[in-house]
Amino acid sequence: MTDSIILVEDLDHVYMKNTPLEHQALYSVNMTVARGECVAIIGHTGSGKSTLIQHLNGLQRPQKGRVVIDGLDLSQRKLDVRALRRKVGLVFQNPEDQIFEKLVGDDIAYGPLKQGLSIKEVTERAKWAMEVVGLSFADMKDRETFALSGGEKRKVALAGVLALRPEILVLDEPTAGLDPCSRKDLLERIRYLNQSENLTVVFVSHNMEEVAYLAHRVYVMANGRVVCEGTPRHVFGNADILHKYHIGMPETVEILHRLKRKGYAVNPEAYEVQETVQEILSILPAAGR
Amino acid sequence: MSDEREPLIRVEHVSFGYTMNDKRTLPVLRDISFEVRRGEYLAIIGHNGSGKSTLAKHLNGLLVPQQGNVWVAGMNTKDKGLRKEIRKCVGMVFQHPDNQIVATIVEDDVAFGLENIGVPADEMRQRVDEALQMVGMFAFRHRPPHHLSGGQKQRIAISGILAMRPACIVLDEATSMLDSYGRQDILRVMRALHQQGMTIVTVTHHMSEVVEADRVIVMEAGRIVMEGTPRDVFQQQERLHELQLDIPDASRISQAVHRVVPAFSGTLIRTDEVVEEVENMHLRTLEVHGG
Amino acid sequence: MASSFELTRNITVGQYLPTGSIIHRLDPRCKLAAFVILILGIAFCGTYGSNVLALILCTALFPLARIPIRYGLSGVKPAIPFILILAILQLLFYGKGFGTGGQTYFHYGFVTITSDSLRLVVVSAMRFVEVIFLSSVLTLSTSTTELTHGMEHLLMPLRKVGFPVHAFALIITIAVRFVPTFALEMEKMMKAQASRGAEFGTGSWWRIVQRTKDMFPIIIPLFNVALKRAEDLILAMEARCYTPTDERTTYKRYHASAKDVFAVVTSLVIVAVLFAIPV
């Protein structure tokens, strides 16, 4: 693909190399992400997904294989890591843990200030970042960070990365531990960023409803390898892979797969609730209506 | 020491608040009353800040009510002398798998509670092995916990509670940090324990876990606002929506199909029930046509 | 290309290499006792002969524990600068104090090198290596759990004078238990802040204030997380009936066998031999 903004080729990674505790986390991983795309990576703890996403902003450098981000080749020794990190914003799991300033505005401004931007520019960016995650700049910028709710803290942390104005946003488990309401809100914000602000989004998730809602394409990882790749429809349609690697599936998909196994002619790719309802209606006996 | 028909835990008009500066208190629980029956599987749900975790910590005396009383198997949690007995009776598993493991080796951690209540060494050995087998972690007994996955760590935490042979286990958002596989693991263990007669109270915001319960309590702003079987509670889709809570997709599908085909039950909450209902519809039409 | 963030790689304390050797299988109480005896012996042996022997014996522990010697030597590497600096300082300044004994090899201004001061320098360097070898074998062959258990048992007599041995052992256990957790936490924090443009340790070393300030985005959150963990841990311990003052029973029990007694006796004999070597 020529317009791919992220290109990962034959990537290997070994932790604790040359020690008795050596352990290989990635085996020949390939991935491409097009500009403006939203890609999900799913898989269990230890499947290698965290290691993979840490390659995207240069926290890990390729030991073998290639990683190219928007023309920047990470194998190059003299790579400008700061330029790379400006391009790729990485939001860790439980990012609220990294908040260290007393006031919300100061914490969000930390990244842009480090870039040496003018105060005016920094303020503008902080303002944009806060509004885009749904925190009112006027009300919230002088609030104390420790008194915020869990959902608000996570938004502050997300804004802190967005204020760097990255072109690619990488999120590790963006909604883990949030309640359904904060989760839904955050997902809508991420979707908005992807669709309206044209941000390329890569996210790791265990929550299949979330994957179904956000992702254009899905990579399934297991034991350091990509074992399946495709649209959510394609991946959710593949019950064998989901079972084999103990990947949970949305309830809708589970129902459709069970029905299919019992011999009913349903399309297991119809994972949205309304579609599933239509599928079920289509197989109910006419006399029942 | 207590009547078998007596509820295991009785919460009576409990109010509780966290003290802020200048003697101001932030009310978290307001006049809460309910019972946990022996052998029951109870789910407590509510969005963040509704007071559900604070309530859970009242069930074994980690917090004591400022007003009202909590009785565990006839013992008042305010009685300091009974605290150990109460905690032996009601064990608790917390949210973060990492923060509740004390020891550097799995079996030592499981033994920690037993050491605290003075169980003799020989009996301890046997109880630790048993408890590890119950959660399927016996093979890991000599491992250091930091090499285990979140779900495995939570199973260790559960087994540390089981070793103390409690009548009830309280799970305080114990699955919220786990991946789907880990969560399924924990649910499987809890299901098996419940079948063996263990009383279970789970505080959660995963609706798929609520489906497992016999009864649900819904909390909002420190009060109980809904109570009933999961089936009854999930029927009230709009009320739950107002409370910022979700319903399982299976329930949503059941209701949507029911609106179009009234013969299809609208009160289903589990995926297998939906599949069964489709089959039943076919069977019923066969009977009508065949007979 | 090694990642600059891989902190766990550099932590060798508590790095346990289970090879199942005879050294690994020793009763931790006896192993620890033998270790203390040998360390004390080395500390008080000041002759060339005894230290050559001690160095040979300490090196021999590696094959006995089935640990590659190369791995043991890698523990000495970071200590070399210290050993060298110590040696130079001793060489330059200790001569005068030993002026009465031994031959004078060199004298210029305030620098005097005598046979005694030279011996001190060489012996100190050897002792350093011996202690590193011994400690490496001990930690590589004993899990932290066994170490803390062993320590708890050895300290038990102190209970008679009111020392809270159980509580002390528990504190050590918990501290050890959270070392890898915090190493991972810190690694994650550094990566997260680096992703936001933070830079660590790139400023010139004389700008100490700036370099300290650079660490704030890590230290403050790490402190918060540690507090949160401690709070959680206290709750979890309380929920499992822990009260610091109450009597507790212990799960782990050890039975010292003949080989364990033999290990302690051997170390006593070795120390006696070391003392007996005259030069």
Side-chain angles (χ1 to χ4, degrees):
Chain A
M1 235 193 276
T2 44
D3 61 338
S4 58
I5 191 165
I6 298 176
L7 178 75
V8 176
E9 265 178 10
D10 290 322
L11 183 66
D12 278 8
H13 190 82
V14 182
Y15 280 110
M16 314 277 273
K17 208 169 187 169
N18 300 327
T19 74
L21 298 167
E22 187 173 300
H23 142 77
Q24 184 153 3
L26 296 177
Y27 293 87
S28 190
V29 167
N30 288 290
M31 180 168 96
T32 52
V33 179
R35 207 177 286 274
E37 210 180 5
C38 180
V39 165
I41 304 174
I42 59 183
H44 290 299
T45 324
S47 61
K49 50 195 177 7
S50 296
T51 310
L52 174 60
I53 61 170
Q54 285 178 19
H55 277 85
L56 301 182
N57 79 341
L59 287 173
Q60 303 282 3
R61 301 285 281 271
Q63 292 172 342
K64 206 172 143 278
R66 249 172 28 117
V67 177
V68 183
I69 309 290
D70 197 18
L72 294 173
D73 188 339
L74 269 73
S75 309
Q76 228 85 73
R77 252 178 201 288
K78 52 185 193 300
L79 166 85
D80 183 354
V81 179
R82 298 182 60 171
L84 175 67
R85 295 204 177 131
R86 275 204 289 277
K87 224 182 257 292
V88 185
L90 178 55
V91 183
F92 274 78
Q93 200 172 349
N94 301 102
E96 57 276 14
D97 287 349
Q98 342 146 355
I99 295 173
F100 68 97
E101 292 278 10
K102 201 166 160 236
L103 302 179
V104 169
D106 291 349
D107 201 81
I108 293 170
Y110 171 73
L113 278 174
K114 275 267 151 191
Q115 286 182 15
L117 300 171
S118 70
I119 295 295
K120 187 167 158 279
E121 179 96 353
V122 171
T123 316
E124 258 168 39
R125 283 186 173 204
K127 184 164 186 235
W128 171 80
M130 285 177 73
E131 302 288 346
V132 89
V133 297
L135 298 170
S136 153
F137 180 70
D139 294 349
M140 298 289 291
K141 71 176 195 313
D142 294 326
R143 287 270 285 276
E144 296 199 346
T145 45
F146 76 90
L148 302 175
S149 75
E152 286 170 334
K153 274 190 193 166
R154 188 154 308 178
K155 284 181 170 183
V156 169
L158 177 58
V161 172
L162 287 173
L164 302 164
R165 302 243 45 176
E167 288 168 51
I168 304 170
L169 185 64
V170 182
L171 305 132
D172 192 356
E173 296 277 342
T175 67
L178 293 182
D179 66 12
C181 176
S182 318
R183 161 176 300 210
K184 211 181 264 171
D185 185 30
L186 195 64
L187 287 178
E188 277 165 20
R189 303 285 169 189
I190 296 171
R191 180 134 114 169
Y192 171 84
L193 283 166
N194 176 235
Q195 293 185 344
S196 306
E197 298 279 335
N198 202 27
L199 215 62
T200 307
V201 176
V202 175
F203 72 104
V204 165
S205 180
H206 295 305
N207 185 313
M208 295 306 125
E209 274 79 13
E210 194 167 297
V211 171
Y213 176 79
L214 281 180
H216 299 131
R217 231 152 32 85
V218 181
Y219 283 85
V220 182
M221 290 191 69
N223 308 321
R225 295 183 169 85
V226 172
V227 292
C228 178
E229 179 266 318
T231 60
R233 255 170 230 291
H234 171 73
V235 171
F236 291 146
N238 193 339
D240 292 343
I241 287 281
L242 297 179
H243 275 297
K244 188 172 171 198
Y245 297 107
H246 303 284
I247 311 284
M249 38 179 123
E251 290 200 343
T252 50
V253 177
E254 200 182 319
I255 291 172
L256 292 170
H257 275 298
R258 285 193 192 193
L259 286 171
K260 197 180 169 206
R261 236 178 300 137
K262 301 218 180 235
Y264 294 102
V266 289
N267 175 11
E269 295 184 356
Y271 63 81
E272 302 216 15
V273 172
Q274 267 323 306
E275 296 175 324
T276 310
V277 169
Q278 287 309 320
E279 288 294 311
I280 291 177
L281 285 173
S282 75
I283 56 162
L284 286 183
R289 302 193 176 197
Chain B
M1 85 192 260
S2 63
D3 186 354
E4 279 300 308
R5 284 161 302 177
E6 167 86 350
L8 186 64
I9 303 174
R10 213 166 64 229
V11 177
E12 287 176 346
H13 302 289
V14 166
S15 295
F16 183 86
Y18 287 107
T19 330
M20 312 277 283
N21 44 352
D22 304 332
K23 289 175 191 165
R24 252 182 56 228
T25 56
L26 187 73
V28 183
L29 300 178
R30 305 162 200 252
D31 193 27
I32 293 228
S33 298
F34 70 97
E35 289 172 350
V36 182
R37 295 183 280 269
R38 283 178 192 275
E40 186 180 30
Y41 198 145
L42 175 71
I44 302 178
I45 59 175
H47 63 81
N48 283 357
S50 61
K52 57 189 194 309
S53 257
T54 307
L55 178 60
K57 289 182 183 71
H58 276 79
L59 300 182
N60 68 347
L62 285 177
L63 293 175
V64 288
Q66 282 155 353
Q67 280 160 48
N69 289 297
V70 178
W71 301 87
V72 174
M75 299 175 278
N76 192 322
T77 58
K78 283 178 181 163
D79 187 340
K80 283 207 172 90
L82 292 174
R83 206 153 274 177
K84 264 193 183 178
E85 282 305 312
I86 288 169
R87 287 175 190 164
K88 263 157 79 176
C89 180
V90 179
M92 197 156 184
V93 181
F94 299 86
Q95 182 176 20
H96 288 272
D98 260 323
N99 301 0
Q100 45 191 323
I101 292 177
V102 180
T104 45
I105 293 287
V106 164
E107 60 173 359
D108 290 357
D109 188 72
V110 176
F112 175 73
L114 299 179
E115 293 177 329
N116 293 337
I117 57 175
V119 174
D122 294 325
E123 189 188 336
M124 225 187 291
R125 164 118 267 146
Q126 186 199 338
R127 282 209 200 179
V128 166
D129 289 357
E130 252 175 46
L132 279 168
Q133 271 154 355
M134 282 165 94
V135 298
M137 292 295 290
F138 187 67
F140 294 83
R141 64 192 182 282
H142 298 311
R143 299 273 199 91
H146 66 264
H147 287 314
L148 304 178
S149 75
Q152 289 172 326
K153 283 181 207 160
Q154 285 299 58
R155 282 195 275 162
I156 298 300
I158 292 173
S159 115
I161 300 296
L162 288 178
M164 297 172 77
R165 303 201 172 136
C168 173
I169 293 190
V170 179
L171 301 165
D172 186 4
E173 297 193 36
T175 62
S176 68
M177 307 299 283
L178 305 182
D179 64 20
S180 57
Y181 192 36
R183 179 171 305 130
Q184 288 309 322
D185 256 8
I186 301 301
L187 289 185
R188 218 170 313 150
V189 169
M190 297 325 289
R191 216 174 289 149
L193 288 173
H194 182 229
Q195 267 156 18
Q196 291 163 31
M198 181 76 72
T199 309
I200 294 169
V201 179
T202 175
V203 174
T204 182
H205 42 236
H206 281 276
M207 295 308 142
S208 54
E209 287 168 38
V210 176
V211 167
E212 307 261 332
D214 301 324
R215 190 158 62 102
V216 192
I217 285 178
V218 184
M219 293 201 51
E220 163 74 12
R223 290 201 173 81
I224 294 178
V225 290
M226 287 169 87
E227 198 182 338
T229 62
R231 207 175 297 283
D232 292 342
V233 169
F234 287 140
Q235 284 312 295
Q236 307 179 44
Q237 205 175 333
E238 268 154 40
R239 181 85 179 90
L240 284 172
H241 189 74
E242 280 167 30
L243 296 169
Q244 305 175 345
L245 294 168
D246 243 343
I247 65 167
D249 277 348
S251 181
R252 203 168 283 150
I253 289 168
S254 159
Q255 290 174 26
V257 176
H258 174 71
R259 275 195 290 274
V260 183
V261 184
F264 191 94
S265 169
T267 62
L268 310 174
I269 54 176
R270 292 208 312 262
T271 52
D272 52 334
E273 290 178 339
V274 174
V275 176
E276 251 171 59
E277 181 67 6
V278 171
E279 286 191 294
N280 286 339
M281 290 275 292
H282 279 276
L283 285 177
R284 267 176 273 166
T285 38
L286 269 182
E287 273 164 29
V288 172
H289 286 264
Chain C
M1 211 179 288
S3 160
S4 50
F5 298 108
E6 218 173 297
L7 291 177
T8 36
R9 185 196 167 105
N10 301 326
I11 293 178
T12 47
V13 178
Q15 206 80 288
Y16 172 55
L17 260 190
T19 63
S21 77
I22 182 154
I23 302 264
H24 284 72
R25 282 173 298 157
L26 282 180
D27 181 311
R29 294 170 300 176
C30 298
K31 207 190 308 189
L32 208 57
F35 172 76
V36 173
I37 292 168
L38 288 174
I39 291 280
L40 285 176
I42 288 168
F44 291 106
C45 270
T47 61
Y48 285 118
S50 59
N51 274 286
V52 169
L53 179 64
L55 195 57
I56 292 170
L57 289 174
C58 288
T59 316
L61 284 176
F62 284 102
L64 202 59
R66 288 196 237 139
I67 296 164
I69 286 195
R70 198 169 47 93
Y71 200 60
L73 283 174
S74 68
V76 179
K77 218 192 289 172
I80 288 176
F82 293 101
I83 297 176
L84 281 180
I85 290 170
L86 187 73
I88 291 167
L89 288 178
Q90 282 175 329
L91 204 57
L92 292 182
F93 299 112
Y94 269 39
K96 262 199 185 133
F98 286 91
T100 46
Q103 236 177 303
T104 303
Y105 292 139
F106 179 83
H107 180 84
Y108 181 80
F110 63 93
V111 180
T112 312
I113 298 175
T114 66
S115 61
D116 277 357
S117 74
L118 193 66
R119 193 186 69 215
L120 182 81
V121 169
V122 175
V123 165
S124 306
M126 286 167 85
R127 272 184 191 152
F128 224 115
V129 177
E130 288 153 19
V131 169
I132 290 173
F133 277 3
L134 266 183
S135 323
S136 306
V137 171
L138 179 73
T139 55
L140 286 169
S141 72
T142 321
S143 71
T144 44
T145 321
E146 286 180 318
L147 273 181
T148 45
H149 282 306
M151 202 172 52
E152 185 175 357
H153 282 276
L154 286 184
L155 290 176
M156 222 44 118
L158 290 180
R159 277 176 77 179
K160 295 218 171 65
V161 294
F163 184 77
V165 175
H166 274 313
F168 181 73
L170 189 64
I171 290 169
I172 303 279
T173 308
I174 290 173
V176 168
R177 141 89 182 81
F178 277 96
V179 165
T181 312
F182 279 115
L184 282 178
E185 197 83 58
M186 180 147 166
E187 193 177 315
K188 187 190 134 185
M189 211 68 86
M190 288 177 79
K191 285 176 175 173
Q193 304 296 28
S195 300
R196 294 169 71 188
E199 280 166 73
F200 312 110
T202 49
S204 319
W205 63 268
W206 61 84
R207 296 175 64 199
I208 292 169
V209 178
Q210 185 56 42
R211 290 193 67 155
T212 315
K213 262 188 168 166
D214 282 350
M215 293 306 284
F216 278 179
I218 296 184
I219 291 167
I220 294 170
L222 208 56
F223 199 70
N224 286 336
V225 170
L227 276 181
K228 171 87 183 75
R229 281 187 190 280
E231 261 176 45
D232 281 4
L233 188 68
I234 290 168
L235 263 188
M237 286 169 67
E238 262 192 63
R240 287 162 78 185
C241 298
Y242 180 72
T243 31
T245 48
D246 285 12
E247 200 56 35
R248 307 175 71 222
T249 45
T250 37
Y251 175 63
K252 262 278 163 20
R253 284 197 301 184
Y254 295 102
H255 303 280
S257 64
K259 70 172 188 318
D260 302 310
V261 177
F262 180 72
V264 177
V265 173
T266 309
S267 55
L268 281 171
V269 171
I270 289 174
V271 170
V273 171
L274 290 182
F275 277 117
I277 295 175
V279 282

